[in-house]
Amino acid sequence: GFHLSGTVTEPATATEPEMTYKVAISFDRCKITSVTCGCGNKDIFYCAHVVALSLYRIRKPDQVKLRLPISETLFQMNRDQLQKFVQYLITAHHTEVLPTAQKLADEILSSNSEINQVHGAPDPTAGASIDDENCWHLDEEQVREQVKLFLSQGGYYGSGKQLNSMFAKVREMLRMRDSNGARMLTLITEQFMADPRLSLWRQQGTGITEKCRQLWDELGALWVCVVLNPHCKLEEKSCWLRQLRKWGEMDVCPLEDGNYGNELPNITNALTQSSSHSQDSLARPRRTVFTRAIEGCDLHWQDSHLQRIISSDFYISPSYQREGESLLFNSQGQPLWLEHVPTACARVDALRSHGYPREALRLTVAIINTLRLQQQRQLEIYKHQKKELLQRGATTITNLEGWVGHPLNPIGCLFLTLTEACRLEEENCLEISDAGDSKPPVYQHVPIATGSQDSGESYLSLALEVALMGMGQQRVMPEGLYAQDKVCRNEEQIIARLQDLELDPVLVQTLRKQCILLLEGGPFSGLGEVIHRESVPMHTFAKYLFSALLPHDADLAYKLALRAMRLPVLETTAPSGDVTHPHHLVSVVPSRYPRWFTLGHLESQQCELASTMLTAAKGDMLRLRTVLEAIQKNIHSSSLIFKLAQDAFKIATPADSNSDTTLLNVALELGLQVMRMTLSTLNWRRREMVRWLVTCATEVGVRALVSILQSWYSLFTPTEATSIVAATVMSHNTILRLSLDYPQREELASCARTLALQCAMKDPQNCALSALTLCEKDHIAFETAYQIVIDAASTGMTYTQLFTIARYMEHRGYPLRAFKLASLAMTHLNLAYNQDTHPAINDVLWACALSHSLGKNELAAIIPLVVKSVHCATVLSDILRRCTMTAPGLAGIPGRRNSGKLMSTDKAPLRQLLDATISAYINTTHSRLTHISPRHYGEFIEFLSKARETFLLAQDGHIQFAQFIDNLKQIYKGKKKLMLLVRERFG
C-alpha cells in the first residue's frame, strides 16, 4: 500500500480522559513520505500515534485490510453509483467538504478551466511516479522552530545538549543513508546563520561564547561529512557548494579560528614587528567555519588506488614490486594513502558517518601505515642532522598545522573508528559527542583483516599507536585564544579515551615502542631532544604516559616525563637558531613572548606532571633529586613551586604512618626556593608561605630550623623573621613537637636571639618589640635590644611604635625605661585643638599617669612635652584633673621618699599645664565660633561650662572667665541668638 490510515486510542490517565486520534501516513519505496495526526503535536520526530500505527502495520500486516487505490475502485462504478458515492461523501462531511465540492463542480463544468486541461485526476492512495523525489517525511517548520528556540536560550537550560542531540540525529540519519540528513543540517545551519547574536558579537569584536563556538565547530565538521558522502550525486554536491559559499560570504559567518579578525588588532599592529607579518595577516584568506566543507567539495572518490583500498582487505602489491621506492605501498606490500593527514581522516569520518564502517577501517589502516613510514623517514633525516641541531639547541622544523585541536579532529576520528571495531557490545553504536553513558566501554583485540602475512596486530593496538603518534607530534602553538584553548580541550578528550583502554601486554608493548620512537624522534616529536621554542608543551600527554608506563618500565617513564618538563617559551630569550613564527606578541613585554593565552593552564599542567613524579618517586633518593632538579630548572612560577612543595609535604607526612625523610627534604628545598623567589616581589600569599615553611622545617627537624634561622636574611624580611619565624620556632608547641633536650633548646634560642638582634638593627621600627620579646630570657641580649631601640628612637621610629614598646617595658617591670621611651614618643606627637578622638590620647594619658606614679620630678619632666605636643583643651583638662586627684610618686620606687601631699595648680609643674589648658580653651572657642551652626549651640554652651571648671582652678580664675565671656559678647555680637544663650548661662 501507499497510504495507511487508522484511529489510535490513547488510554485515560489520572489527569486526562481517553482520547482517539485519526492518523494518515503516506509511503513510497519503504519510506514514510508524509504524516498527519489529529493530536496536532509538533516535533521534529513523529508523534507517538504515528509510530503506533506504523508499528501496528509492521507487526500485524494481516490485520490491516489491503485495498486497491481509490481510483481503481471508482473505475469499476457506473454513473449512478458514482453519483451516489459523491453525494454520500459530501453528506458525511458536508461542513468541511461542501465549499470544495461546489468549487470543483464549477471548474469541471467550465470548459476552459485548468482542471479540464489535464488528463485524469490525482489519487492520494496510489504510489508516486518512479521519477518523483522520495524521501522520509521531515517537518521542516518544526526543525526551524526548535533550533531557533534552543539558540535563543544561549546555552542555558541544557539547550546546548539539545542542539548536540540534533547534530547526533543528523549523524544517525547519515548513517542510515537517509537523504533527510543533509536537509535537516541545512535547516539547522540556516537558523544558526540567522542567530541575532552573531552581528552583535561582530560589532563588539568579542569572540563567540565558548559553548556556542563548539556547536559551530560541530556544524562545520558535519558539513565536511555531508559533502564527502562517497555516493552523493553531482547535482546534490553543487547545490551544497552554492549554499556553503553563500553562508561563508556573509559577514557574520564565524571564522575557523574563533575570532572576528585578529583579536586585538590595535595592540598587535602597534608593536614593532617584522613588516612581513602584518602583510601576512592581511593577505591571509578569510577562513570561515564552512571553508573546509567548501574545500571538501573538490574531493572525489574516483581514485582507483583509493577505491581498491576501501573495497578489499586483501589489496596488496605483488611481491616483485616491493624492492624500489613506491608511493602506493610500503615494503610489506601494504597500501599507503599519501593525502594531507586531516583530509584523509575526514574521508574516514565520512565513510564512518555514512554507514560504511568496514571501508572506514580499511582506509584508517592505510593512513596509519603511511604515518609509520613517515615516522621512520623522519627518524633517518634526524640522524643526519642530529649533531648540528643539538649544538644549536633549537630547531626551526615543526608542523605549523597540529593534528590535536585541528578543526577536523583527525586523531580522534581514527581512534574512534578503530576502537568502535573492538567494542564488546551487541550494537556497534556510534559515539555521540555528548556521551551520556557513565560506565567506560569494554574493548577486545580484533585482529586486523589483512592480505599480508599475519601481523599479530589488532585494531585496538593501532588505536593506541595512532593516538600516541598524534599527541606526540611536534607542532607550533596556533594563534588566538580559541585555537589554543581547543588544543588543550582536544588533548584532554583523547587522553580521557585512552584511559578507557585496559593496558594488557600487547598494548604495553605498543606503548613502550611508541614512547621510545617519540624520545628519539628529534624535531618531529614534541618529546624529541630539540624542539621549537613555540612548540605546544607535552605536559598533559606526558603525565598520562608516565602513569601508564610506570608499572611496566619505570626508567622509560621517568626519562619521558623529565624530558617533557620543559616549557621553552618561558625561557628568557629565543635561541639564535630559532626562526620566529609570526605571532601576536603580548604588548607589555617588549617583543619577547608570543601571545599564549592558555599559558596559565599550561603552567599548571607542568606542575601536575611534576607532582605526579614526586608522588611516584617517594622514598627513592636518586629519582627525587632528578625530579627536584627538573622542577628548579623548568618551573618559573613561585605559586606553582609552592603548590608542589605543599604536595610533597602532604605525601611525605601521611596521617597513618611515619614521615618519608627524602620527600620531606624535597618539600623543604622547594619551600626555600619559593622564599628566595618571593622575598623581593609582592605576593599576597607570602605570610601563608612563610608559616608553611616553618611547619615544614619543624617536620624535617632541629637542624633545618637552625639553618633557616641562621640564613634568615636570604629568605625572609626582618619582620617575617622575628614575628613569624623566630616566634614560631621558640613557641611551646614547637619545643614539644620536636621533644628537644636542653642543649638543643639552648642552641635554637641562641639562634633566635641572634636573628632578633640582627633584625632589630636592620629594621628597628618593625622588629624592636619582637626582638625584645625574643631576648627576654637573656640579660645581655635584652640590654642590647633595648639600646638598639633607644638609638633608633630619635630618628626612625613613630610615636605609636615607641608607646607600644614603652608599655611593654612597664609591663616587664622597667617603669623608668618605660618613662624614657614615653618621653621620646611625646616628642614625635602633635595633637591639634579639634583632635579630641585621636587614637594616641590613651597613650598620652597613660604616659602622664606613669610619670605621676613615678614622682614629682618625672611629672615635671613630661609636662613641658605634653604642653608642646597637645593643643586639645579637653585632653589637657583631663590630664590636669587626674594629676590633682592623688599625690605623685605612688609607684614606690625603692630609695625614694614621697611627701604624700597633693600638688597645687598654682605651683610648677601643674601651673604650666593649667595655663596651657586655659589658653587651649580660649583658642578652641574662637576656632569653633568662626563656623558654628545653630544646631551646635547647645553643645557649645556645654563646652564653655567645661572651660569654666578649668578657669576656676586658677586663683583669679573667675575674673579671667568673666573677662573671657565679655570679650566673646563683644566680638560675636552679630550671633544674637547664641549670645542670648551665653548671657542666660553665664550672666
Side-chain angles (χ1 to χ4, degrees):
F2 304 108
H3 189 275
L4 173 69
S5 50
T7 49
V8 176
T9 306
E10 198 166 312
T13 63
T15 50
E16 299 288 325
E18 180 180 280
M19 300 289 280
T20 305
Y21 300 105
K22 288 199 163 81
V23 182
I25 303 175
S26 304
F27 301 94
D28 183 10
R29 282 159 274 184
C30 303
K31 297 186 183 77
I32 294 177
T33 52
S34 75
V35 299
T36 49
C37 176
C39 76
N41 277 1
K42 290 286 180 196
D43 196 355
I44 59 171
F45 307 120
Y46 302 146
C47 68
H49 317 110
V50 168
V51 174
L53 182 62
S54 308
L55 290 175
Y56 185 82
R57 167 68 183 78
I58 291 166
R59 289 174 185 166
K60 304 184 175 175
D62 44 350
Q63 303 278 316
V64 180
K65 201 163 186 186
L66 188 59
R67 299 176 184 278
L68 288 171
I70 196 82
S71 50
E72 295 285 322
T73 313
L74 294 174
F75 188 67
Q76 292 166 18
M77 296 183 189
N78 62 26
R79 169 81 185 66
D80 290 348
Q81 287 171 317
L82 281 170
Q83 172 117 19
K84 203 171 201 173
F85 174 78
V86 172
Q87 281 179 255
Y88 267 99
L89 182 65
I90 293 172
T91 309
H93 302 284
H94 69 274
T95 48
E96 296 113 275
V97 176
L98 195 57
T100 314
Q102 195 63 64
K103 181 169 163 278
L104 287 172
D106 293 347
E107 285 189 10
I108 285 171
L109 291 174
S110 152
S111 58
N112 56 357
S113 70
E114 197 177 329
I115 210 166
N116 285 327
Q117 312 299 314
V118 181
H119 185 67
D123 177 0
T125 61
S129 113
I130 193 80
D131 309 322
D132 284 3
E133 270 293 300
N134 68 322
C135 56
W136 286 86
H137 171 68
L138 177 73
D139 187 340
E140 302 197 356
E141 195 40 49
Q142 212 33 50
V143 174
R144 288 193 194 98
E145 284 306 309
Q146 291 218 331
V147 177
K148 198 175 189 169
L149 173 71
F150 295 144
L151 282 172
S152 70
Q153 294 170 346
Y156 304 107
Y157 321 111
S159 57
K161 248 198 175 94
Q162 303 280 5
L163 287 164
N164 269 322
S165 71
M166 287 181 93
F167 288 148
K169 188 78 196 161
V170 171
R171 281 194 182 272
E172 189 187 323
M173 290 159 107
L174 297 180
R175 199 168 74 250
M176 306 303 288
R177 308 190 195 161
D178 172 353
S179 59
N180 274 338
R183 264 174 78 208
M184 181 154 158
L185 189 59
T186 303
L187 297 170
I188 293 174
T189 311
E190 280 167 354
Q191 291 308 312
F192 264 70
M193 288 302 295
D195 187 345
R197 292 176 299 171
L198 289 179
S199 54
L200 203 70
W201 283 323
R202 189 168 177 275
Q203 283 159 12
Q204 296 168 346
T206 50
I208 298 179
T209 59
E210 184 60 26
K211 276 191 177 136
C212 208
R213 259 308 337 176
Q214 292 173 22
L215 293 168
W216 275 101
D217 280 357
E218 177 62 5
L219 193 67
L222 270 172
W223 271 114
V224 174
C225 251
V226 167
V227 302
L228 280 179
N229 177 350
H231 292 295
C232 72
K233 302 191 189 82
L234 267 176
E235 54 271 26
E236 276 182 306
K237 206 184 242 191
S238 53
C239 171
W240 293 330
L241 182 58
R242 276 199 304 280
Q243 273 182 337
L244 290 164
R245 282 200 174 128
K246 187 185 83 194
W247 290 324
E249 281 159 13
M250 291 167 73
D251 52 5
V252 292
C253 186
L255 303 185
E256 184 176 74
D257 62 1
N259 322 319
Y260 280 117
N262 291 336
E263 253 145 325
L264 296 164
N266 48 350
I267 289 187
T268 47
N269 296 348
L271 285 176
T272 49
Q273 287 177 330
S274 56
S275 53
S276 64
H277 167 221
S278 6
Q279 257 36 92
D280 178 40
S281 58
L282 295 174
R284 229 180 299 166
R286 179 168 171 271
R287 293 188 67 85
T288 72
V289 285
F290 301 117
T291 304
R292 299 212 179 243
I294 292 169
E295 292 166 350
C297 290
D298 295 338
L299 298 175
H300 60 81
W301 296 83
Q302 271 72 59
D303 182 280
S304 58
H305 182 55
L306 176 61
Q307 282 299 326
R308 287 193 188 111
I309 291 173
I310 61 178
S311 55
S312 160
D313 287 325
F314 304 106
Y315 174 43
I316 56 169
S317 70
S319 49
Y320 60 81
Q321 282 182 0
R322 294 184 198 169
E323 287 312 303
E325 281 282 295
S326 158
L327 290 177
L328 301 182
F329 301 93
N330 64 11
S331 55
Q332 286 85 50
Q334 297 162 318
L336 303 173
W337 181 243
L338 288 168
E339 198 171 23
H340 168 240
V341 175
T343 308
C345 297
R347 286 186 190 273
V348 171
D349 193 29
L351 287 168
R352 191 175 138 256
S353 304
H354 287 284
Y356 301 100
R358 299 300 318 160
E359 290 82 345
L361 264 180
R362 290 169 187 145
L363 183 53
T364 300
V365 174
I367 294 171
I368 292 176
N369 281 327
T370 313
L371 290 177
R372 283 172 168 171
L373 191 64
Q374 249 174 2
Q375 199 178 37
Q376 235 35 65
R377 299 223 173 120
Q378 287 171 345
L379 268 176
E380 284 156 26
I381 294 170
Y382 174 54
K383 277 177 190 145
H384 294 301
Q385 302 174 329
K386 190 169 181 174
K387 200 171 163 196
E388 174 202 350
L389 279 173
L390 287 177
Q391 275 170 345
R392 276 207 319 228
T395 173
T396 54
I397 305 169
T398 180
N399 294 292
L400 292 180
E401 183 180 55
W403 299 331
V404 173
H406 190 283
L408 298 174
N409 188 11
I411 300 301
C413 158
L414 297 183
F415 185 82
L416 269 179
T417 307
L418 291 162
T419 48
E420 265 167 24
C422 305
R423 275 183 92 137
L424 257 179
E425 277 175 358
E426 286 68 66
E427 74 284 6
N428 225 357
C429 67
L430 220 128
E431 283 201 29
I432 308 167
S433 51
D434 222 62
D437 53 334
S438 50
K439 62 178 206 308
V442 183
Y443 299 110
Q444 61 182 356
H445 282 285
V446 175
I448 296 172
T450 166
S452 60
Q453 68 281 14
D454 180 40
S455 59
E457 287 187 316
S458 76
Y459 290 121
L460 200 57
S461 61
L462 275 194
L464 175 62
E465 183 177 345
V466 79
L468 300 179
M469 263 189 200
M471 301 269 286
Q473 173 209 33
Q474 196 203 163
R475 53 203 183 266
V476 153
M477 180 64 84
E479 285 186 34
L481 166 61
Y482 181 70
Q484 292 176 9
D485 192 52
K486 201 162 161 185
V487 168
C488 301
R489 223 181 25 248
N490 193 201
E491 189 172 38
E492 279 156 16
Q493 287 162 350
I494 296 172
I495 287 173
R497 293 227 156 98
L498 283 174
Q499 281 164 337
D500 289 340
L501 300 181
E502 283 282 319
L503 292 181
D504 58 16
V506 177
L507 293 182
V508 169
Q509 192 185 350
T510 306
L511 178 71
R512 285 194 55 195
K513 183 176 155 203
Q514 198 47 240
C515 285
I516 292 166
L517 284 172
L518 286 172
L519 281 172
E520 291 172 355
F524 301 97
S525 152
L527 292 163
E529 280 172 279
V530 277
I531 53 170
H532 189 284
R533 179 164 168 262
E534 290 174 35
S535 194
V536 171
M538 294 279 136
H539 309 125
T540 317
F541 179 41
K543 187 179 138 193
Y544 161 76
L545 293 177
F546 178 79
S547 306
L549 271 174
L550 197 61
H552 311 289
D553 187 341
D555 285 344
L556 184 58
Y558 277 101
K559 185 175 180 188
L560 208 141
L562 290 165
R563 170 81 55 86
M565 271 295 288
R566 61 201 169 183
L567 188 50
V569 78
L570 286 185
E571 304 308 333
T572 42
T573 49
S576 52
D578 188 21
V579 174
T580 313
H581 185 60
H583 260 342
H584 302 329
L585 307 178
V586 179
S587 57
V588 200
V589 183
S591 67
R592 198 167 65 206
Y593 298 147
R595 297 189 62 192
W596 282 31
F597 297 95
T598 49
L599 193 57
H601 171 77
L602 298 171
E603 283 190 282
S604 67
Q605 289 301 305
Q606 181 189 32
C607 176
E608 286 286 305
L609 172 62
S611 183
T612 309
M613 283 196 281
L614 282 176
T615 312
K618 179 178 174 177
D620 184 331
M621 195 65 215
L622 272 172
R623 293 235 198 266
L624 277 173
R625 293 253 43 106
T626 5
V627 176
L628 179 64
E629 279 162 25
I631 292 169
Q632 289 170 329
K633 179 178 170 212
N634 293 300
I635 298 186
H636 303 284
S637 148
S638 55
S639 52
L640 290 176
I641 296 180
F642 182 49
K643 185 188 174 302
L644 282 174
Q646 289 175 303
D647 287 354
F649 183 75
K650 262 194 211 102
I651 304 156
T653 52
D656 49 0
S657 63
N658 295 337
S659 299
D660 179 274
T661 45
T662 52
L663 196 49
L664 254 182
N665 279 306
V666 168
L668 180 65
E669 208 162 319
L670 290 171
L672 294 171
Q673 186 182 345
V674 173
M675 289 298 109
R676 288 189 285 268
M677 286 170 86
T678 55
L679 180 56
S680 52
T681 56
L682 288 172
N683 189 309
W684 60 276
R685 295 182 66 190
R686 175 77 188 174
R687 280 182 78 80
E688 177 199 351
M689 291 168 166
V690 174
R691 287 213 166 85
W692 177 87
L693 185 83
V694 180
T695 311
C696 180
T698 308
E699 277 300 315
V700 175
V702 70
R703 301 298 346 132
L705 288 176
V706 168
S707 163
I708 65 169
L709 290 174
Q710 286 174 343
S711 55
W712 70 267
Y713 45 85
S714 64
L715 304 169
F716 314 108
T717 64
T719 321
E720 291 167 344
T722 51
S723 64
I724 307 178
V725 183
T728 314
V729 170
M730 294 314 295
S731 70
H732 188 59
N733 284 352
T734 308
I735 308 289
L736 279 181
R737 177 88 190 82
L738 290 169
S739 52
L740 303 177
D741 56 20
Y742 182 73
Q744 286 174 317
R745 280 211 297 262
E746 270 314 289
E747 182 184 14
L748 266 187
S750 157
C751 287
R753 288 193 292 269
T754 309
L755 170 146
L757 295 175
Q758 288 170 343
C759 293
M761 287 292 286
K762 199 167 171 146
D763 182 3
Q765 292 99 317
N766 298 309
C767 302
L769 185 59
S770 305
L772 287 164
T773 316
L774 287 164
C775 295
E776 278 170 5
K777 294 199 172 77
D778 183 288
H779 179 68
I780 299 171
F782 187 77
E783 290 305 313
T784 314
Y786 174 66
Q787 201 47 55
I788 292 170
V789 175
I790 297 297
D791 294 345
S794 54
T795 52
M797 296 183 77
T798 65
Y799 59 82
T800 317
Q801 290 162 339
L802 289 167
F803 275 132
T804 310
I805 297 169
R807 288 191 163 196
Y808 162 82
M809 279 296 182
E810 187 200 25
H811 178 68
R812 299 278 308 135
Y814 294 105
L816 289 168
R817 287 183 174 186
F819 168 73
K820 183 169 183 181
L821 288 164
S823 306
L824 286 166
M826 287 300 297
T827 61
H828 291 266
L829 180 68
N830 186 18
L831 279 186
Y833 78 92
N834 55 355
Q835 289 184 296
D836 48 0
T837 55
H838 193 284
I841 292 172
N842 281 335
D843 289 321
V844 173
L845 294 174
W846 168 81
C848 293
L850 172 71
S851 313
H852 185 266
S853 72
L854 289 174
K856 202 169 169 182
N857 297 343
E858 281 75 13
L859 191 60
I862 208 155
I863 280 174
L865 300 175
V866 171
V867 168
K868 192 173 172 206
S869 302
V870 180
H871 308 289
C872 180
T874 48
V875 178
L876 289 169
S877 63
D878 200 0
I879 296 169
L880 188 61
R881 190 176 52 77
R882 291 172 188 228
C883 289
T884 52
M885 277 165 63
T886 54
L890 297 178
I893 298 286
R896 285 198 185 179
R897 279 179 53 247
N898 287 316
S899 64
K901 286 199 312 205
L902 290 174
M903 293 173 75
S904 158
T905 51
D906 292 341
K907 297 198 185 93
L910 291 189
R911 178 68 211 223
Q912 193 187 353
L913 182 58
L914 176 62
D915 291 346
T917 312
I918 289 172
S919 78
Y921 270 117
I922 293 170
N923 292 338
T924 306
T925 302
H926 288 302
S927 295
R928 287 180 75 162
L929 281 171
T930 50
H931 41 72
I932 190 167
S933 66
R935 70 166 191 271
H936 293 125
Y937 284 177
E939 201 186 307
F940 176 71
I941 297 295
E942 291 311 311
F943 173 75
L944 282 183
S945 303
K946 272 214 174 83
R948 179 165 62 182
E949 287 168 25
T950 304
F951 271 87
L952 294 179
L953 291 174
Q955 276 192 335
D956 54 353
H958 58 289
I959 301 167
Q960 273 193 52
F961 188 69
Q963 281 173 348
F964 173 50
I965 292 291
D966 287 344
N967 208 359
L968 289 183
K969 287 190 238 172
Q970 196 53 44
I971 300 172
Y972 301 103
K973 58 173 181 270
K975 298 188 188 293
K976 291 195 176 67
K977 192 173 177 195
L978 179 59
M979 289 308 126
L980 192 68
L981 293 172
V982 170
R983 269 195 207 89
E984 273 176 18
R985 176 72 68 95
F986 306 111

